Amino acid sequence: MILVTGGAGYIGSHVAKELLFNGHDVVILDNLSTGHKETVKTLKEMAQGRKGVGELEFVFGDTGDKELLVSLLREKAVSSVVHLAAFSLVGESMQNPGKYFDNNTSRAVNILECMVECGVRNIVFSSTAAVYGEPVEVPITEDHPVKPTNVYGASKVMVEEILRWYDRIHGIKYVSLRYFNAAGADESGLIGEWHEPETHLIPIVMQKVLGQRDKLTVFGDDYPTPDGTCIRDYIHVTDLARAHILALEALEGGMGSKVYNLGNGSGYSVREVIDTVSEVVGQDVVYDIGERRAGDPAVLVASSDKIKKELGWKPGYPELKDIVRSAWKWHWG
Ligand code: UFG
């Protein structure tokens, strides 16, 4: 049995789906602070009656609840943990740091302590490109200096450091996956990106197209990039999810601890993203240009060569257009 914390959220639900469809039994632990009960229901429906698909259980609860975690790890005979439950809004983390250090950092320690107590040895950890801060070199490799410019990134860097100590002292093996910009939705169109409030570019552009929001503002067009807007590396959420399966299976096969970037390796500007959405939906998208958003680096593009080479990971959606198409199926359908 695999414990997936945060499995009712955007990335967590796609990870849970891939695990289930690869035959793993999954128990989701989620306090539904940002995840959705409906998503779990949909996952159950997707898995029901299908051959070769694992069993899904849902437990409502918090990663800070030691008693609950210990009983889960023991009673469900959990072999590995995929830990995604976290807050992830950069802006909010700079206004309310305690919320991030508490949920993202302290509770990760709680999970690790419970794993030690119960003899669970493997964990896949959801980290972020925000650990790097302002890049000094692009594409960013895993050896790039780690110098977060916001509390969200710092809260994850700390967990990576903590993981190193738990490996050294307790022999816990981990894979830390540093996600770049997760986007898109499951090919079924049944699960997808669902944040309230939404802050991410692609869903915001789609909400504008669907008339669900009045305004779309591009945050700054005076960056040192070809069209003046920020460049990001968008990676399909299913490609992200599949990397978790590879990491988990490698850990269960005896691999040592690792840190991997996860991106597509190609950057797209905010304008290019809007143009791609416009092309996919067959409609012009109206936007205005606003101020820069605090803390936005000009360019964030990953080198994912390490995970490709070591785990054989290969993106199934290397083209932004296909990522956007899958997101549109979810938003529109
Ligand atoms: N943007 C706009 N207008 C909007 C929303 C976003 O111009 O209404 C711009 C942003 O300024 C940025 C780009 O679109 O340049 C992408 O922004 P997102 O908010 O979609 O994503 P971020 O790059 O800010 O952040 C994401 C994750 C973080 C993670 C980071 C790492 O949300 O958790 O990627 O790359 F830390």
Side-chain angles (χ1 to χ4, degrees):
M1 179 74 88
I2 312 295
L3 171 64
V4 179
T5 72
Y10 170 44
I11 299 174
S13 58
H14 289 78
V15 170
K17 188 235 158 176
E18 290 305 313
L19 281 167
L20 289 165
F21 279 59
N22 278 278
H24 295 280
D25 294 331
V26 170
V27 55
I28 289 177
L29 174 68
D30 202 301
N31 65 6
L32 301 179
S33 60
T34 56
H36 306 278
K37 222 174 23 204
E38 294 86 336
T39 303
V40 179
K41 192 169 162 255
T42 306
L43 278 174
K44 283 198 167 148
E45 286 163 4
M46 287 166 85
Q48 220 159 38
R50 286 182 74 118
K51 260 205 167 138
V53 172
E55 293 283 322
L56 173 63
E57 282 182 57
F58 172 71
V59 174
F60 173 76
D62 198 276
T63 48
D65 187 339
K66 191 163 188 211
E67 222 173 289
L68 174 66
L69 268 175
V70 167
S71 76
L72 261 180
L73 294 175
R74 287 223 171 99
E75 281 162 28
K76 311 281 178 208
V78 168
S79 58
S80 299
V81 175
V82 183
H83 175 43
L84 298 109
F87 294 130
S88 62
L89 299 180
V90 169
E92 183 188 55
S93 78
M94 295 303 279
Q95 274 147 16
N96 195 352
K99 182 173 173 183
Y100 281 70
F101 290 129
D102 177 31
N103 191 40
N104 296 6
T105 312
S106 305
R107 286 168 208 217
V109 177
N110 192 48
I111 293 173
L112 287 165
E113 279 297 310
C114 295
M115 287 174 65
V116 170
E117 193 174 326
C118 300
V120 179
R121 288 274 167 264
N122 307 313
I123 181 166
V124 179
F125 173 62
S126 151
S127 188
T128 170
V131 300
Y132 295 113
E134 192 69 50
V136 291
E137 218 175 58
V138 222
I140 299 169
T141 64
E142 292 81 356
D143 299 329
H144 185 285
V146 160
K147 224 173 162 191
T149 50
N150 54 64
V151 167
Y152 167 59
S155 73
K156 295 279 184 174
V157 170
M158 288 178 191
V159 179
E160 289 193 351
E161 182 68 21
I162 291 164
L163 284 166
R164 276 190 282 279
W165 288 107
Y166 273 75
D167 181 359
R168 191 162 142 189
I169 297 165
H170 294 296
I172 298 242
K173 299 298 166 204
Y174 65 88
V175 171
S176 183
L177 298 174
R178 294 175 176 166
Y179 313 152
F180 281 65
N181 288 56
D186 185 66
E187 60 183 6
S188 64
L190 297 172
I191 54 172
E193 190 162 7
W194 179 4
H195 296 115
E196 284 169 18
E198 190 51 77
T199 62
H200 296 100
L201 180 62
I202 293 175
I204 281 181
V205 181
M206 298 205 164
Q207 287 175 349
K208 172 75 176 108
V209 170
L210 291 165
Q212 294 166 356
R213 68 168 60 225
D214 298 336
K215 260 175 80 150
L216 166 63
T217 302
V218 171
F219 299 142
D221 68 349
D222 57 351
Y223 284 94
T225 60
D227 71 14
T229 65
C230 287
I231 291 178
R232 292 288 179 273
D233 185 339
Y234 295 88
I235 171 167
H236 195 280
V237 65
T238 300
D239 287 330
L240 269 187
R242 289 188 177 145
H244 291 71
I245 320 289
L246 292 174
L248 192 92
E249 292 179 350
L251 283 175
E252 292 197 340
M255 184 180 78
S257 297
K258 301 275 183 177
V259 175
Y260 294 119
N261 282 343
L262 274 174
N264 259 321
S266 36
Y268 293 93
S269 72
V270 175
R271 276 207 173 96
E272 284 172 325
V273 170
I274 297 173
D275 289 347
T276 307
V277 174
S278 173
E279 202 185 321
V280 166
V281 307
Q283 206 177 303
D284 281 344
V285 182
V286 181
Y287 61 90
D288 55 33
I289 306 291
E291 294 292 307
R292 287 183 178 198
R293 190 172 65 175
D296 270 346
V299 181
L300 277 179
V301 178
S303 159
S304 300
D305 289 351
K306 190 175 164 199
I307 191 165
K308 284 182 181 158
K309 208 167 122 206
E310 295 187 7
L311 297 188
W313 176 78
K314 195 170 171 259
Y317 295 82
E319 301 295 328
L320 180 64
K321 213 179 187 177
D322 294 325
I323 296 176
V324 167
R325 249 190 223 118
S326 76
W328 181 239
K329 187 172 173 187
W330 154 252
H331 281 274
W332 188 74

